[in-house]
Amino acid sequence: MSGDNEETLTAEETPVDEKEVEEKMISPEKAEEAKLKARYPNLGNKPGGSDLLRKRLQKGQKYFDSGDYNMAKAKIKNKQLPTAAPEKTEITGDHIPTPQDLPQRKPSLVASKLAGQVQFY
Amino acid sequence: MSCAGPGGGSNDVQWCFSQVKGAIDDDVAEADIISTVEFNQSGELLATGDKGGRVVIFQQEQESKNKPQCRGEYNVYSTFQSHEPEFDYLKSLEIEEKINKIRWLPQKNAAHFLLSTNDKTIKLWKISERDKRPEGYNLKEEDGRYVDPNTVTALRVPVFRPMDLMVEASPRRVFANAHTYHINSISVNSDCETYLSADDLRVNLWHLEITDRSFNIVDIKPANMEDLTEVITAAEFHPNQCNTFVYSSSKGTIRMCDMRAAALCDKHAKLFEEPEDPNNRSFFSEIISSISDVKFSHSGRYLMTRDYLSVKIWDLNMETRPVETYQVHEYLRSKLCSLYENDCIFDKFECCWNGNDSVVMTGSYNNFFRMFDRGYQQDVTLEASRENSKPRSVLKPRKVSTGGKRKKDEISVDSLDFNKKILHTAWHPLDNIIAVATTNNLYIFQEKLN
């Protein structure tokens, strides 16, 4: 929390009413951050760090090898498949795609609707 | 920012609805999601790419004397399947067919060329017209069947006869296997011979004629991936200096590189970065500072960047901070928590310049898009919606109310539809004609002419 806006008070001298003033001066961004941390206490402090970036680099990777698959099956045997977990990390290997989940792989042979439409007016 | 004048936008330009392309129904198929929009250098052609790997090209019809009130309409000229889904068996990776970017080559002859790219492969497409066909062969019937030579008694010279215009698209080059990570940008060099492609960690230089090799000119992959702190988000060549290009990062910096300095441009010639107040730093700071698009001005003097909440104009001669900053939707700053939860905070908005670099445009949520007039210091918010789609109806400026008091016709932040995002917009290089893509529709707006 930034106390630098106050000119005379040091960190030790923060009476109750000073804290109130501080709270009012929290930027909306910091207030949102507090909200997020309250909901996800396990969230790390390095949002732009390698976890987020590596997840981004691996975008789209849903498949894995049979070793992962069997390990995950063993884990899941004892409990239900978790529905959308609150944490934002997806561990490859824990998510088992079923044939129904897999997106269609064939190309869009249907013509784009942008080309097919009669003029709107 | 001061509010827009009564007409909205720059210099009292009023924008009218012209056309909308795409299906009306709300049930949007994934494949129909528009992923890129681009005018060619003359503005005569407008290309769109979608998630289904298809490209649709519209052509502006010649201005007719019957309708002096409007500039030509855009009609479908050509459409083709550019990319198809692939599977990388070695990495167990699905390769999406979604077209990430389309870039036109400057026109050299009757045919048109464009580069289109998905995550891994760039293709050069030739779009050409055929309006005559040969007729009168001696050994072939019109339908192609071969004629028994013994029945031929006289010879004739085949001639070309006019036919209905046919527009053909053919892939002329395929530039593959050069990117380990996902391609986010392609940019044609002003030399018209080379182009660059950029993925999360590398930038490659290609020659348009050569597909079996490309030069790596930027590589920011750390030796240890645990040390990864930033990725490349966009890259572009300077519009007239063929040795200069820029690339932006997820940390909000832009690096300008000079290819004359070294073969590998890991050392930047210039680094554009706005100093950040450490007191204002939050969990979201880096995420919202990530640059989603970078565009040189037509003049080549300025650079525009788009991050989550703002558009910044940089003077190439000043690296320390932008010369202009425009807030696109500052009211979202107090919604960052939910925007992080629904992943909207990672939306990649693009931005564009008008023909004379006086106005910039970018998209927002609720199918709103924003224009900032740099000279007149005015801005306007407009909406692309079917409700405002009567021919030549003037678009009314929209306003989002931030405080408790909501005026009539204003919309409150909580009522915004975050699924209706305008990520892709394009401005005709010469005229006041803009193309705005909603999720699956393409809107064309024109300046009201009197």
Side-chain angles (χ1 to χ4, degrees), chain A residues 4 29-30 32-33 39-40 47-48 53 57 59 61 88 105 108 110 113-114 117 119-121, chain B residues 18 32 54 73 75 81 85-86 94 200 229 279 281-283 286 333-334 336-337 341 343 386:
Chain A
D4 294 333
E29 224 175 284
K30 292 235 165 96
E32 291 294 299
E33 178 176 9
R39 282 185 212 178
Y40 309 105
L53 291 177
L57 294 181
K59 156 197 133 185
Q61 187 164 16
K88 307 267 302 169
R105 300 241 58 255
S108 326
V110 181
K113 295 201 178 104
L114 294 186
Q117 281 299 303
Q119 296 270 186
F120 181 73
Y121 72 94
Chain B
S18 173
D32 293 325
R54 301 162 302 190
E73 277 181 5
N75 300 316
Q81 185 79 37
E86 288 173 62
E94 187 179 46
D200 291 315
T229 55
N279 296 323
R281 196 162 172 80
S282 77
F283 176 85
E286 193 172 308
R333 202 179 286 268
S334 50
L336 292 176
C337 180
E341 289 178 295
D343 275 350
R386 295 271 174 178

Side-chain angles (χ1 to χ4, degrees), chain B residues 343-401:
Chain B
D343 275 350
C344 282
I345 205 174
F346 301 106
D347 284 337
K348 297 188 177 62
F349 292 95
E350 290 174 6
C351 53
C352 60
W353 298 84
N354 73 339
N356 60 15
D357 299 333
S358 60
V359 185
V360 297
M361 170 167 66
T362 189
S364 178
Y365 295 105
N366 209 71
N367 283 347
F368 287 172
F369 57 101
R370 303 263 284 137
M371 287 184 189
F372 301 94
D373 187 321
R374 304 172 61 213
Y376 289 84
Q377 288 295 301
Q378 290 176 335
D379 65 87
V380 71
T381 304
L382 300 172
E383 182 181 1
S385 77
R386 295 271 174 178
E387 283 80 50
N388 307 330
S389 306
K390 282 198 287 282
R392 288 187 295 284
S393 64
V394 175
L395 294 184
K396 206 173 67 139
R398 308 284 291 153
K399 193 139 167 38
V400 177
S401 75

Side-chain angles (χ1 to χ4, degrees), chain B residues 26-196:
Chain B
D26 286 326
D27 195 16
V28 182
E30 279 258 327
D32 293 325
I33 296 173
I34 299 171
S35 50
T36 185
V37 183
E38 186 84 354
F39 280 101
N40 73 339
Q41 281 80 5
S42 66
E44 184 208 354
L45 299 179
L46 176 60
T48 61
D50 65 23
K51 229 177 169 206
R54 301 162 302 190
V55 171
V56 181
I57 302 174
F58 302 93
Q59 182 189 42
Q60 190 178 31
E61 63 182 25
Q62 303 289 343
E63 277 177 37
S64 70
K65 300 215 165 66
N66 300 334
K67 286 201 261 175
Q69 234 83 79
C70 32
R71 297 193 177 91
E73 277 181 5
Y74 283 84
N75 300 316
V76 179
Y77 179 65
S78 172
T79 177
F80 54 92
Q81 185 79 37
S82 171
H83 287 72
E84 294 186 356
E86 288 173 62
F87 196 81
D88 181 339
Y89 292 97
L90 201 59
K91 297 184 190 145
S92 285
L93 245 183
E94 187 179 46
I95 302 171
E96 270 193 303
E97 66 273 37
K98 171 166 79 86
I99 308 294
N100 292 334
K101 286 279 166 13
I102 288 173
R103 289 288 181 263
W104 291 95
L105 266 57
Q107 194 176 9
K108 297 270 178 65
N109 51 39
H112 297 276
F113 289 86
L114 62 77
L115 287 171
S116 73
T117 186
N118 70 348
D119 282 341
K120 297 286 182 179
T121 305
I122 307 130
K123 295 187 185 181
L124 176 68
W125 288 88
K126 175 181 179 182
I127 296 108
S128 48
E129 292 183 3
R130 190 195 293 261
D131 61 356
K132 19 184 185 304
R133 64 158 178 252
E135 283 176 22
Y137 284 112
N138 293 291
L139 295 177
K140 255 201 300 195
E141 300 277 15
E142 292 308 322
D143 58 10
R145 281 180 302 147
Y146 282 98
V147 170
D148 177 2
N150 298 320
T151 62
V152 177
T153 52
L155 287 180
R156 56 188 177 170
V157 178
V159 290
F160 275 100
R161 291 219 190 279
M163 60 180 257
D164 287 341
L165 179 67
M166 209 165 77
V167 181
E168 301 169 319
S170 60
R172 304 305 279 182
R173 307 266 187 280
V174 177
F175 303 92
N177 301 321
H179 287 279
T180 308
Y181 303 98
H182 300 298
I183 298 173
N184 51 54
S185 313
I186 46 175
S187 178
V188 184
N189 198 331
S190 51
D191 68 10
C192 301
E193 288 188 352
T194 58
Y195 75 94
L196 64 74

Side-chain angles (χ1 to χ4, degrees), chain A residues 97-110:
Chain A
T98 60
Q100 298 91 290
D101 296 342
L102 296 182
Q104 289 287 333
R105 300 241 58 255
K106 54 184 201 285
S108 326
L109 297 173
V110 181

